[in-house]
Amino acid sequence: MKVAFVSSEIYPFAKTGGLADVSYSLPKAISQHGIKVISMMPLYKTVDREKFGIQETDIEIEVNLPKKTYTFKIYKLKNNVKYYFFYNKELFDRDYLYGPPEGDYPDNYLRFGAFSYAVIEFFKKTGFYPDIVHTNDWQTALIPVLIKDKYKLDIKTIHTIHNIAYQGVFESFVIDELDLGWHLFNMDALEFYGKVNFLKGAIVFSDAITTVSPTYAREICTPEYGFGLDGVLRAHCHKLYGILNGIDYDIWNPETDPYIYENYNETTIEKKDINKKKFLEEYGLSDETKPLFIFIGRFAKQKGIDIIQQSILEMASMNANFAILGSGDKVYNDFFNSIRNKYPNIFIKVGYDEPLSRKMYASADFLLMPSIYEPCGLNQMIAMRYGTLVVARKTGGLADTVIDIDLPAGYGILFENPTKTEFLRAINRAKELYRDKKRFYRLREFVMTLDFSWESSASKYIRLYEELKFGFPKGV
Ligand code: ADP
């Protein structure tokens, strides 16, 4: 079985969020089962070609669009045929993947539309026709549309929705500019309130749709979480599957993590306290007897960052330390920058910093995730792998991976409604748990033994691939 995995970001080459982690670790886990997977992504300016040994091949792809022809040069890793990078200077030689903090690049439809064509032209040019094309999020959502409607290839397509809020919605002129054909501009295909919706196209045309947790699969079929696509999803729910993401246990491992102060595992978990002590020292916080709460993530409404913003005064007056790392929407960046050195018990860094994030996972007592919605969430799994307990809103993948301590076999703290009151109450429950040292130590050791690896999820994807290719009985 041959699979082409196409994504707009793949760790470690380019990453803005969890999509990149999944696009690295899922193909890796699948290929360990003997399936040949090649991964494809655009070659952005920010990708460090030298560091990763990315080399030009002699493959050149032409994408003929009505207004212009775009040429993509194909790159690959030295001595490795698992990754292919698509380079077009005009479209991808820019400072950001999707646009600066002020907003998306206006020609993103063209950038990712042309890339989508280039992927299919790559199959034609090289003769590498996969059995399955696995696409991800709106950036690659036109690929199943083109495969089925334009190229009419005998390739099965599976599309994963990592976050339904981002749909790739553009004015109707893109039908002409991308030569999609006006027959697709109708309610049963790409049309969405007078505009063109890339993600809707993937939902309609893919052979299977997956999303990244069972709870989120149910949630996106409701008006509250569907961002306008719930009706389309309900109409296509016979091919919708919720498969939980995993994390890569080689990458996220406190025993080998080169960035943390002291390596540890569940049998040497007391070294976590050394990490905490050194972290507090390095980042200007004091008193290791206080619990340390961390937040790591995109500064976006989705992540409940408003709730943290509204709670900041209460947090500042608590007998606890907080460390906040993230970046995103300008209003939040500005707010957190403006209070950066204001409160002695709150460390803030606005930016993207993986080494720091690793130190935080290793040093913290609790991770805060007050998400409004959370398709799967990786942070909570990473945190637990590092022996950090999770305080989260009960939604999406958080509801699937965390059990509240008040329930039998519980090991985290969940709250129902995304409000400041419930959030602060949850922090107070965490503080109470922290005071009960015996229980706290037992739980932090326990969460380290939970299995959030890709193993079981990868086999679910493989069954789905087989089902699509061979028509096996259903049952993912
Ligand atoms: P998202 O909705 O952003 O995809 P996920 O929980 O699925 O959220 O994945 C987030 C990933 O990005 C995790 O690996 C997390 O550690 C990382 N991350 C998010 N923000 C930052 C940041 N500012 N610095 C370092 N890593 C970050």
Side-chain angles (χ1 to χ4, degrees):
M1 167 118 59
K2 288 181 294 186
V3 177
F5 190 93
V6 195
S7 178
S8 59
E9 48 185 275
I10 304 177
Y11 179 89
F13 313 111
K15 168 168 166 173
T16 66
L19 171 63
D21 296 275
V22 176
S23 300
Y24 167 76
S25 41
L26 175 59
K28 181 179 160 197
I30 288 167
S31 57
Q32 279 162 357
H33 289 260
I35 290 178
K36 183 176 167 61
V37 190
I38 64 165
S39 300
M40 302 161 148
M41 64 172 273
L43 185 53
Y44 304 99
K45 182 175 165 182
T46 51
V47 177
D48 191 335
R49 296 183 194 185
E50 209 166 296
K51 177 173 163 197
F52 297 115
I54 296 174
Q55 296 179 333
E56 197 174 327
T57 69
D58 52 14
I59 308 169
E60 222 172 69
I61 307 287
E62 293 217 328
V63 173
N64 295 303
L65 292 178
K67 279 192 177 167
K68 195 170 171 176
T69 294
Y70 294 91
T71 304
F72 284 82
K73 275 190 180 305
I74 306 300
Y75 286 67
K76 69 174 194 62
L77 288 190
K78 198 176 166 189
N79 305 324
N80 182 325
V81 288
K82 285 189 188 154
Y83 294 101
Y84 286 94
F85 303 87
F86 288 59
Y87 181 69
N88 173 286
K89 190 171 170 40
E90 180 185 337
L91 300 176
F92 290 108
D93 210 37
R94 305 190 187 176
D95 291 339
Y96 296 89
L97 268 57
Y98 311 124
E102 293 74 36
D104 286 350
Y105 292 126
D107 61 347
N108 272 349
Y109 68 91
L110 184 61
R111 300 172 72 223
F112 293 100
F115 170 63
S116 298
Y117 270 102
V119 166
I120 303 173
E121 291 294 334
F122 176 90
F123 301 149
K124 283 175 65 184
K125 182 127 192 182
T126 60
F128 174 88
Y129 282 98
D131 301 295
I132 309 275
V133 175
H134 188 157
T135 49
N136 298 277
D137 278 351
W138 73 263
Q139 295 90 339
T140 52
L142 281 187
I143 293 174
V145 180
L146 295 171
I147 286 180
K148 301 289 172 185
D149 185 74
K150 192 168 202 111
Y151 288 82
K152 300 190 177 10
L153 298 174
D154 182 22
I155 294 177
K156 298 292 183 192
T157 54
I158 155 169
H159 189 80
T160 299
I161 300 171
H162 297 261
N163 189 335
I164 204 162
Y166 303 96
Q167 301 179 355
V169 178
F170 304 100
E171 297 301 329
S172 59
F173 71 83
V174 311
I175 292 279
D176 277 333
E177 270 207 39
L178 294 176
D179 200 20
L180 297 170
W182 284 97
H183 64 288
L184 291 177
F185 195 66
N186 71 75
M187 259 178 68
D188 296 322
L190 293 177
E191 195 264 338
F192 183 73
Y193 300 103
K195 297 190 176 190
V196 170
N197 185 319
F198 282 20
L199 185 60
K200 184 179 173 193
I203 295 171
V204 173
F205 283 95
S206 297
D207 295 299
I209 311 151
T210 68
T211 189
V212 290
S213 69
T215 297
Y216 194 60
R218 285 190 297 276
E219 286 175 345
I220 56 177
C221 293
T222 67
E224 191 186 348
Y225 290 95
F227 284 86
L229 286 179
D230 44 294
V232 187
L233 279 164
R234 285 196 299 276
H236 291 272
C237 66
H238 58 282
K239 58 175 184 182
L240 172 65
Y241 303 83
I243 304 176
L244 198 67
N245 282 337
I247 53 168
D248 192 300
Y249 271 35
D250 298 331
I251 293 178
W252 299 107
N253 184 356
E255 219 171 343
T256 53
D257 192 323
Y259 293 105
I260 67 178
Y261 303 98
E262 285 271 343
N263 290 112
Y264 60 95
N265 60 29
E266 62 269 26
T267 62
T268 55
I269 195 167
E270 62 287 352
K271 290 200 189 151
K272 200 168 155 55
D273 300 333
I274 304 175
N275 279 284
K276 179 176 172 183
K277 188 169 185 287
K278 293 197 170 162
F279 177 82
L280 296 179
E281 265 164 33
E282 184 172 350
Y283 293 96
L285 296 166
S286 62
D287 196 350
E288 68 215 66
T289 63
K290 293 181 192 172
L292 172 62
F293 291 85
I294 58 167
F295 171 90
I296 299 170
R298 286 183 293 113
F299 286 168
K301 218 174 171 47
Q302 176 207 339
K303 298 288 175 186
I305 198 72
D306 291 277
I307 301 176
I308 296 184
Q309 188 175 349
Q310 289 155 20
S311 309
I312 213 80
L313 285 179
E314 284 84 350
M315 289 159 63
S317 63
M318 270 186 199
N319 189 28
N321 282 310
F322 295 89
I324 296 172
L325 165 65
S327 69
D329 299 349
K330 193 173 176 306
V331 276
Y332 302 120
N333 291 353
D334 290 349
F335 170 76
F336 283 101
N337 267 325
S338 74
I339 58 157
R340 212 148 48 90
N341 295 313
K342 201 163 171 188
Y343 307 110
N345 68 331
I346 306 182
F347 165 77
I348 294 171
K349 173 157 180 187
V350 177
Y352 190 89
D353 188 337
E354 187 181 323
L356 173 59
S357 77
R358 289 171 176 275
K359 287 181 184 173
M360 288 168 67
Y361 286 123
S363 308
D365 298 301
F366 297 98
L367 171 84
L368 298 172
M369 278 186 93
S371 305
I372 308 293
Y373 67 93
E374 194 59 78
C376 175
L378 299 176
N379 296 25
Q380 82 278 18
M381 299 195 245
I382 300 170
M384 288 190 272
R385 175 97 167 111
Y386 282 67
T388 298
L389 300 183
V390 176
V391 179
R393 159 126 200 277
K394 191 179 175 192
T395 181
L398 294 168
D400 291 331
T401 51
V402 181
I403 301 176
D404 190 89
I405 49 167
D406 279 353
L407 294 172
Y411 47 81
I413 288 171
L414 292 175
F415 59 100
E416 290 280 343
N417 297 303
T419 61
K420 173 179 163 179
T421 319
E422 289 204 22
F423 175 61
L424 290 173
R425 196 181 302 142
I427 295 183
N428 281 322
R429 285 183 67 206
K431 286 175 63 190
E432 209 174 292
L433 171 64
Y434 181 77
R435 280 194 294 273
D436 183 353
K437 278 288 174 312
K438 217 168 137 198
R439 190 176 185 204
F440 173 74
Y441 286 138
R442 189 172 53 75
L443 287 178
R444 73 173 189 177
E445 195 180 316
F446 174 71
V447 294
M448 286 193 78
T449 64
L450 293 170
D451 185 4
F452 295 114
S453 70
W454 268 104
E455 245 345 276
S456 75
S457 304
S459 37
K460 287 186 182 142
Y461 277 105
I462 291 168
R463 275 172 70 191
L464 188 53
Y465 292 164
E466 286 175 341
E467 199 178 282
L468 290 177
K469 186 178 173 199
F470 304 113
F472 280 178
K474 286 204 182 294
V476 170

